Amino acid sequence: MKEREKIVVTGLVVLMLITWLGFPFHESPRFAGSSWGGVFGVTGALLMLVPLAYMIIKRVKRLKKAVTKYASMRTLLAWHIYAGVTGPILVVIHSGHKYESPLGVALMAMMLLVVVSGFMGRYLMKQISTEIREKNAQLGELVKIYDHTKKELADRPQETLTIRAFAGFFSRLAAGFFLPEKSSPQSNDTAASSPREMVRLAEAIADVEYAIATHEEFKMWFGKWLKFHIVISFILYGLLALHVYFAIYFGLRWFMSS
């Protein structure tokens, strides 16, 4: 996400959580059935259908080709994000903080889970991908320095043997105390070529490689998290459909009997 978009969406998610957490302090049992309550509920439900439309467009090639003539996928994704957060805020307001029926409680809990999981997946996945690119660039620079140093070592067999003595994990920790900070007089007097810096360089490469592997692992798990987000989204739509059905069914019965 762009920085401004990230700030706005984060603010909306925080607003949704604050609105939801208002139930211990506020309850309006009749608001959901009032005119304004209906406006908030219907508007929120329609906005919550926008992410469903985005998922369908993204996966149906013909539909995607037709729709992208008028709006890019990036624009549709922005609609998906904003509608997917704004809709639940309106639905929470529509509820009047009255959570009594099992269906209403399940719908509210699933809605919050979908929004939070989608936000985390979107933000963290982007952050992890960015960090992987940065770490790979950093690794490339370290490898260049390492290759240059390796060529220099060919002319310095004595220092090579000295460095090999600190190849183990615990011995590397003590390298700063025993290895000389400067190279031997006959070698090039550069900081990168000193025995101590050579060990530090090897440790830096190992650390960056470990960080990349860790980020790749997180990225794989977030790929599974995205599938989980899609599954619970469809569960949410099922609960929403039931809620709308019962609202119309019992609402029409009450209207006809009055």
Side-chain angles (χ1 to χ4, degrees), residues 128 132 208-220:
I128 288 173
I132 288 176
V208 173
E209 288 179 342
Y210 178 78
I212 292 173
T214 304
H215 282 77
E216 291 287 356
E217 187 73 16
F218 275 117
K219 188 174 181 179
M220 181 192 71

Side-chain angles (χ1 to χ4, degrees), residues 188-201:
N188 294 327
D189 189 15
T190 58
S193 300
S194 67
R196 187 183 298 182
E197 289 298 326
M198 289 178 188
V199 173
R200 290 176 180 174
L201 178 61

Side-chain angles (χ1 to χ4, degrees), residues 18 21 28-29 31 34 45 48 54 88 92 104-105 111-113 117 134 164 171 196 199 209 224 240 255 258:
I18 293 174
L21 290 173
S28 179
F31 182 74
S34 66
M48 288 172 62
Y54 172 80
V92 173
V105 173
M111 183 180 68
L112 294 172
L113 181 60
S117 66
E134 292 176 352
R164 285 179 180 176
S171 59
R196 187 183 298 182
V199 173
E209 288 179 342
K224 296 179 180 180
L240 180 63
F255 179 76
S258 60

Side-chain angles (χ1 to χ4, degrees), residues 112-223:
L112 294 172
L113 181 60
V114 169
V115 173
V116 173
S117 66
F119 173 74
M120 291 179 60
R122 168 69 176 163
Y123 172 69
L124 291 179
M125 178 71 81
K126 183 74 173 180
Q127 188 69 24
I128 288 173
S129 298
T130 301
E131 289 186 4
I132 288 176
R133 288 195 299 269
E134 292 176 352
K135 294 294 183 184
N136 279 319
Q138 183 181 358
L139 180 62
E141 292 297 323
L142 290 173
V143 169
K144 287 181 181 179
I145 299 173
Y146 176 82
D147 290 339
H148 175 74
T149 304
K150 187 177 179 181
K151 292 179 180 179
E152 291 185 356
L153 280 174
D155 300 327
R156 293 148 56 184
Q158 188 61 39
E159 289 188 3
T160 303
L161 293 175
T162 304
I163 294 172
R164 285 179 180 176
F166 294 90
F169 174 75
F170 292 104
S171 59
R172 286 202 307 271
L173 297 178
F177 298 99
F178 297 99
L179 286 177
E181 188 172 356
K182 295 183 178 181
S183 303
S184 57
Q186 67 272 18
S187 62
N188 294 327
D189 189 15
T190 58
S193 300
S194 67
R196 187 183 298 182
E197 289 298 326
M198 289 178 188
V199 173
R200 290 176 180 174
L201 178 61
E203 288 181 345
I205 291 175
D207 289 341
V208 173
E209 288 179 342
Y210 178 78
I212 292 173
T214 304
H215 282 77
E216 291 287 356
E217 187 73 16
F218 275 117
K219 188 174 181 179
M220 181 192 71
W221 279 105
F222 271 108

Side-chain angles (χ1 to χ4, degrees), residues 30 43 47 63 99 101 147 156 161 193 199 224 244 253:
R30 296 185 178 182
T43 306
L47 287 174
L63 187 59
Y99 309 130
S101 68
D147 290 339
R156 293 148 56 184
L161 293 175
S193 300
V199 173
K224 296 179 180 180
V244 172
R253 283 184 60 188

Side-chain angles (χ1 to χ4, degrees), residues 15 19 26 28 35 60 68 92 117 159 182 224 228 240 248:
L15 176 62
T19 306
H26 168 264
S28 179
S35 299
V60 179
T68 50
V92 173
S117 66
E159 289 188 3
K182 295 183 178 181
K224 296 179 180 180
F228 170 74
L240 180 63
I248 294 175

